[in-house]
Coordinates of all heavy atoms in Angstrom, one line a residue:
K8 N -24.8 -15.9 -3.0 CA -23.7 -15.7 -3.9 C -23.6 -14.3 -4.5 O -22.8 -14.1 -5.4 CB -23.9 -16.7 -5.0 CG -23.5 -18.1 -4.6 CD -22.0 -18.2 -4.4 CE -21.5 -19.6 -4.2 NZ -20.0 -19.6 -3.8
S9 N -24.4 -13.4 -4.1 CA -24.2 -12.0 -4.7 C -23.4 -11.1 -3.7 O -23.7 -11.1 -2.5 CB -25.5 -11.4 -5.1 OG -26.3 -11.2 -3.9
V10 N -22.5 -10.3 -4.2 CA -21.7 -9.4 -3.4 C -21.6 -8.0 -4.1 O -21.4 -8.0 -5.3 CB -20.3 -10.0 -3.2 CG1 -19.5 -9.1 -2.2 CG2 -20.2 -11.4 -2.9
V11 N -21.7 -7.0 -3.2 CA -21.4 -5.7 -3.7 C -20.0 -5.3 -3.1 O -19.8 -5.4 -1.9 CB -22.4 -4.6 -3.2 CG1 -21.9 -3.2 -3.3 CG2 -23.7 -4.7 -4.0
V12 N -19.1 -5.0 -4.0 CA -17.8 -4.5 -3.5 C -17.8 -3.0 -3.8 O -18.0 -2.5 -4.9 CB -16.6 -5.2 -4.3 CG1 -15.3 -4.5 -3.9 CG2 -16.6 -6.7 -3.9
V13 N -17.5 -2.2 -2.8 CA -17.5 -0.7 -2.9 C -16.0 -0.3 -3.0 O -15.2 -0.4 -2.1 CB -18.2 0.0 -1.7 CG1 -18.2 1.5 -2.0 CG2 -19.5 -0.6 -1.4
G14 N -15.7 0.3 -4.2 CA -14.3 0.8 -4.4 C -13.5 0.0 -5.3 O -13.3 -1.2 -5.1
A15 N -13.0 0.6 -6.4 CA -12.2 -0.1 -7.4 C -10.7 0.3 -7.3 O -10.1 0.6 -8.3 CB -12.7 0.0 -8.8
G16 N -10.2 0.4 -6.1 CA -8.7 0.5 -5.9 C -8.1 -0.9 -5.9 O -8.8 -1.9 -6.3
I17 N -6.9 -1.1 -5.5 CA -6.3 -2.4 -5.6 C -7.0 -3.4 -4.7 O -7.1 -4.6 -5.0 CB -4.7 -2.3 -5.3 CG1 -4.0 -3.6 -5.7 CG2 -4.5 -1.9 -3.8 CD1 -2.5 -3.5 -5.7
V18 N -7.5 -2.9 -3.5 CA -8.1 -3.9 -2.6 C -9.5 -4.3 -3.1 O -9.8 -5.5 -3.1 CB -8.3 -3.2 -1.2 CG1 -8.9 -4.2 -0.2 CG2 -6.9 -2.8 -0.7
G19 N -10.3 -3.4 -3.6 CA -11.6 -3.8 -4.2 C -11.4 -4.6 -5.4 O -12.2 -5.6 -5.7
A20 N -10.4 -4.3 -6.3 CA -10.2 -5.0 -7.5 C -9.7 -6.5 -7.2 O -10.2 -7.5 -7.8 CB -9.1 -4.4 -8.4
A21 N -8.9 -6.6 -6.2 CA -8.4 -7.9 -5.8 C -9.5 -8.7 -5.2 O -9.7 -9.9 -5.5 CB -7.2 -7.8 -4.8
T22 N -10.3 -8.1 -4.3 CA -11.5 -8.8 -3.7 C -12.4 -9.3 -4.8 O -12.9 -10.4 -4.7 CB -12.2 -7.8 -2.8 OG1 -11.3 -7.3 -1.8 CG2 -13.3 -8.5 -2.0
T23 N -12.7 -8.4 -5.8 CA -13.6 -8.8 -6.9 C -13.0 -10.0 -7.6 O -13.8 -10.9 -7.9 CB -13.7 -7.6 -7.8 OG1 -14.3 -6.5 -7.1 CG2 -14.6 -7.9 -9.0
Y24 N -11.8 -10.0 -7.9 CA -11.1 -11.1 -8.7 C -11.3 -12.4 -7.9 O -11.7 -13.4 -8.4 CB -9.7 -10.8 -8.9 CG -8.9 -12.0 -9.4 CD1 -9.0 -12.4 -10.8 CD2 -8.1 -12.7 -8.6 CE1 -8.3 -13.5 -11.2 CE2 -7.4 -13.8 -9.1 CZ -7.5 -14.2 -10.4 OH -6.8 -15.3 -10.8
F25 N -10.9 -12.4 -6.6 CA -10.9 -13.6 -5.8 C -12.4 -14.1 -5.6 O -12.6 -15.3 -5.5 CB -10.1 -13.5 -4.5 CG -8.6 -13.5 -4.8 CD1 -7.9 -12.3 -4.6 CD2 -8.0 -14.6 -5.2 CE1 -6.5 -12.2 -4.8 CE2 -6.6 -14.6 -5.5 CZ -5.9 -13.4 -5.3
L26 N -13.3 -13.2 -5.4 CA -14.7 -13.6 -5.2 C -15.2 -14.2 -6.5 O -15.9 -15.2 -6.5 CB -15.5 -12.4 -4.8 CG -15.4 -11.9 -3.4 CD1 -16.1 -10.6 -3.2 CD2 -16.1 -13.0 -2.4
S27 N -14.9 -13.6 -7.6 CA -15.4 -14.1 -8.9 C -14.8 -15.5 -9.1 O -15.6 -16.4 -9.6 CB -14.9 -13.3 -10.1 OG -15.4 -12.0 -9.9
K28 N -13.6 -15.7 -8.8 CA -13.0 -17.1 -8.9 C -13.7 -18.1 -8.1 O -13.8 -19.3 -8.4 CB -11.5 -17.0 -8.5 CG -10.5 -16.9 -9.6 CD -9.1 -17.0 -9.1 CE -8.7 -18.5 -8.9 NZ -7.3 -18.6 -8.6
R29 N -14.3 -17.6 -7.0 CA -15.0 -18.5 -6.1 C -16.5 -18.7 -6.5 O -17.3 -19.3 -5.8 CB -15.0 -18.0 -4.7 CG -13.7 -18.1 -3.9 CD -13.7 -17.4 -2.6 NE -12.6 -17.8 -1.8 CZ -12.8 -18.8 -0.9 NH1 -13.9 -19.3 -0.6 NH2 -11.7 -19.2 -0.2
G30 N -16.8 -18.1 -7.6 CA -18.2 -18.3 -8.2 C -19.2 -17.3 -7.7 O -20.4 -17.4 -7.9
F31 N -18.7 -16.2 -7.0 CA -19.7 -15.2 -6.5 C -20.0 -14.3 -7.7 O -19.2 -14.0 -8.6 CB -19.1 -14.3 -5.4 CG -19.1 -15.0 -4.1 CD1 -18.0 -15.8 -3.7 CD2 -20.2 -14.9 -3.2 CE1 -18.0 -16.5 -2.5 CE2 -20.2 -15.6 -2.0 CZ -19.1 -16.4 -1.6
H32 N -21.3 -13.7 -7.7 CA -21.7 -12.7 -8.6 C -21.4 -11.4 -8.0 O -22.0 -11.0 -7.0 CB -23.2 -12.9 -9.0 CG -23.7 -11.8 -9.8 ND1 -23.3 -11.7 -11.2 CD2 -24.4 -10.7 -9.5 CE1 -23.9 -10.6 -11.7 NE2 -24.5 -10.0 -10.7
V33 N -20.4 -10.6 -8.6 CA -20.0 -9.4 -7.9 C -20.4 -8.2 -8.7 O -20.4 -8.2 -9.9 CB -18.4 -9.4 -7.9 CG1 -17.9 -8.1 -7.1 CG2 -17.9 -10.6 -7.2
R34 N -20.9 -7.2 -8.0 CA -21.1 -5.8 -8.6 C -20.0 -4.9 -7.9 O -20.0 -4.8 -6.7 CB -22.5 -5.3 -8.3 CG -23.5 -6.0 -9.2 CD -24.9 -5.5 -9.1 NE -25.0 -4.1 -9.6 CZ -26.1 -3.4 -9.7 NH1 -27.2 -4.0 -9.3 NH2 -26.1 -2.2 -10.1
L35 N -19.2 -4.3 -8.8 CA -18.1 -3.5 -8.3 C -18.5 -2.0 -8.5 O -18.5 -1.6 -9.7 CB -16.8 -3.9 -9.1 CG -15.5 -3.0 -8.8 CD1 -15.2 -3.0 -7.3 CD2 -14.3 -3.6 -9.6
I36 N -18.7 -1.3 -7.4 CA -19.3 0.0 -7.6 C -18.2 1.0 -7.2 O -17.6 1.0 -6.1 CB -20.5 0.2 -6.7 CG1 -21.6 -0.9 -7.0 CG2 -21.2 1.6 -6.8 CD1 -22.9 -0.8 -6.3
E37 N -18.0 2.0 -8.1 CA -16.8 2.9 -7.9 C -17.3 4.3 -8.0 O -18.0 4.7 -9.0 CB -15.8 2.5 -9.0 CG -14.7 3.6 -9.2 CD -13.9 4.0 -8.0 OE1 -13.5 3.2 -7.2 OE2 -13.7 5.3 -7.9
A38 N -16.9 5.2 -7.1 CA -17.3 6.6 -7.1 C -16.8 7.3 -8.3 O -17.5 8.2 -8.8 CB -16.7 7.3 -5.8
S39 N -15.6 6.9 -8.8 CA -15.0 7.7 -10.0 C -14.6 6.7 -11.0 O -15.4 6.2 -11.8 CB -13.9 8.5 -9.4 OG -13.2 9.1 -10.4
A40 N -13.3 6.3 -11.0 CA -12.8 5.3 -12.0 C -11.8 4.4 -11.3 O -11.3 4.8 -10.2 CB -12.1 6.1 -13.1
P41 N -11.6 3.2 -11.9 CA -10.6 2.3 -11.2 C -9.3 3.0 -11.0 O -8.8 3.7 -11.9 CB -10.5 1.1 -12.2 CG -11.8 1.2 -13.0 CD -12.2 2.6 -13.1
A42 N -8.7 2.7 -9.8 CA -7.3 3.2 -9.5 C -7.3 4.8 -9.5 O -6.2 5.3 -9.8 CB -6.3 2.6 -10.4
S43 N -8.4 5.4 -9.4 CA -8.4 6.9 -9.4 C -7.9 7.5 -8.1 O -7.7 8.7 -8.1 CB -9.8 7.4 -9.8 OG -10.7 6.9 -8.9
A44 N -7.8 6.8 -7.1 CA -7.3 7.3 -5.8 C -5.9 6.8 -5.5 O -5.0 6.8 -6.4 CB -8.3 7.0 -4.7
A45 N -5.7 6.4 -4.3 CA -4.3 6.0 -3.9 C -3.6 5.0 -4.8 O -2.4 5.1 -5.1 CB -4.3 5.5 -2.4
S46 N -4.4 4.0 -5.2 CA -3.8 2.9 -6.0 C -3.2 3.4 -7.3 O -2.3 2.8 -7.9 CB -4.8 1.8 -6.3 OG -5.3 1.3 -5.1
G47 N -3.6 4.6 -7.8 CA -3.1 5.1 -9.0 C -2.0 6.2 -8.8 O -1.5 6.8 -9.7
A48 N -1.7 6.4 -7.5 CA -0.7 7.5 -7.2 C 0.4 7.0 -6.3 O 0.9 7.8 -5.5 CB -1.5 8.7 -6.6
A49 N 0.7 5.8 -6.3 CA 1.6 5.2 -5.4 C 3.0 5.0 -6.0 O 3.2 5.1 -7.2 CB 1.1 3.8 -4.9
D50 N 4.0 4.7 -5.1 CA 5.3 4.3 -5.6 C 5.2 2.9 -6.2 O 5.3 2.6 -7.3 CB 6.3 4.4 -4.5 CG 7.7 3.8 -4.9 OD1 7.8 3.2 -5.9 OD2 8.7 4.0 -4.2
G51 N 4.9 1.9 -5.3 CA 4.7 0.6 -5.7 C 5.7 -0.4 -5.2 O 5.9 -1.5 -5.7
A52 N 6.3 -0.1 -4.0 CA 7.2 -1.0 -3.4 C 6.4 -2.2 -2.8 O 5.5 -1.9 -2.1 CB 8.0 -0.3 -2.3
V53 N 6.8 -3.3 -3.2 CA 6.2 -4.6 -2.6 C 7.3 -5.1 -1.7 O 8.2 -5.8 -2.1 CB 5.8 -5.6 -3.7 CG1 5.3 -6.8 -3.1 CG2 4.9 -4.9 -4.7
S54 N 7.2 -4.6 -0.4 CA 8.4 -4.6 0.4 C 8.1 -5.1 1.9 O 7.1 -4.6 2.5 CB 8.9 -3.2 0.5 OG 9.9 -3.0 1.5
V55 N 8.9 -6.0 2.4 CA 8.9 -6.3 3.8 C 9.8 -5.4 4.5 O 9.6 -5.0 5.7 CB 9.3 -7.8 4.0 CG1 9.4 -8.1 5.5 CG2 8.4 -8.7 3.3
A56 N 10.9 -5.0 3.9 CA 11.9 -4.1 4.5 C 11.3 -2.9 5.1 O 11.8 -2.4 6.1 CB 13.0 -3.8 3.5
S57 N 10.3 -2.3 4.5 CA 9.7 -1.1 5.0 C 8.7 -1.2 6.1 O 8.1 -0.3 6.5 CB 9.1 -0.3 3.8 OG 8.0 -1.2 3.3
K58 N 8.5 -2.4 6.6 CA 7.5 -2.7 7.6 C 8.2 -2.8 9.0 O 9.3 -3.4 9.1 CB 6.7 -4.0 7.3 CG 6.2 -4.1 5.9 CD 5.1 -3.0 5.6 CE 4.6 -3.2 4.2 NZ 5.5 -2.7 3.2
R59 N 7.4 -2.4 10.0 CA 7.8 -2.6 11.4 C 7.6 -4.1 11.7 O 6.6 -4.7 11.2 CB 7.0 -1.7 12.3 CG 7.4 -0.3 12.3 CD 8.7 -0.1 13.1 NE 9.3 1.2 12.8 CZ 10.5 1.5 13.1 NH1 11.3 0.6 13.8 NH2 11.0 2.7 12.8
P60 N 8.4 -4.7 12.6 CA 8.1 -6.1 13.1 C 6.7 -6.1 13.7 O 6.3 -5.2 14.3 CB 9.2 -6.3 14.1 CG 10.3 -5.3 13.8 CD 9.6 -4.1 13.2
G61 N 6.1 -7.3 13.5 CA 4.8 -7.5 14.1 C 3.8 -7.9 12.9 O 4.3 -8.4 11.9
P62 N 2.5 -7.6 13.1 CA 1.5 -8.1 12.1 C 1.8 -7.5 10.7 O 1.5 -8.3 9.8 CB 0.2 -7.6 12.7 CG 0.5 -6.8 13.9 CD 1.9 -6.9 14.3
M63 N 2.3 -6.3 10.6 CA 2.4 -5.8 9.2 C 3.6 -6.5 8.5 O 3.5 -6.7 7.3 CB 2.7 -4.3 9.3 CG 1.5 -3.5 9.7 SD 0.0 -3.7 8.6 CE 0.3 -2.4 7.4
M64 N 4.6 -6.8 9.3 CA 5.8 -7.5 8.6 C 5.3 -8.9 8.2 O 5.6 -9.4 7.1 CB 7.0 -7.5 9.6 CG 8.3 -7.9 8.9 SD 9.7 -7.8 10.0 CE 10.3 -6.2 9.8
T65 N 4.6 -9.5 9.1 CA 4.1 -10.9 8.8 C 3.2 -10.8 7.6 O 3.3 -11.7 6.7 CB 3.3 -11.4 10.0 OG1 4.1 -11.3 11.2 CG2 2.9 -12.9 9.8
A66 N 2.3 -9.9 7.5 CA 1.4 -9.8 6.4 C 2.2 -9.5 5.1 O 1.9 -10.0 4.0 CB 0.4 -8.7 6.6
A67 N 3.2 -8.6 5.2 CA 4.0 -8.3 4.0 C 4.7 -9.5 3.4 O 4.8 -9.6 2.2 CB 5.0 -7.1 4.3

Side-chain angles (χ1 to χ4, degrees):
K8 283 292 189 186
S9 64
V10 189
V11 163
V12 174
V13 185
I17 193 166
V18 179
T22 305
T23 297
Y24 169 77
F25 287 109
L26 282 170
S27 301
K28 261 186 80 172
R29 286 172 164 263
F31 283 91
H32 174 73
V33 183
R34 286 185 66 173
L35 177 54
I36 305 182
E37 163 55 46
S39 171
S43 55
S46 301
D50 173 349
V53 179
S54 167
V55 178
S57 60
K58 310 295 179 285
R59 287 280 166 194
M63 292 300 271
M64 196 178 269
T65 307

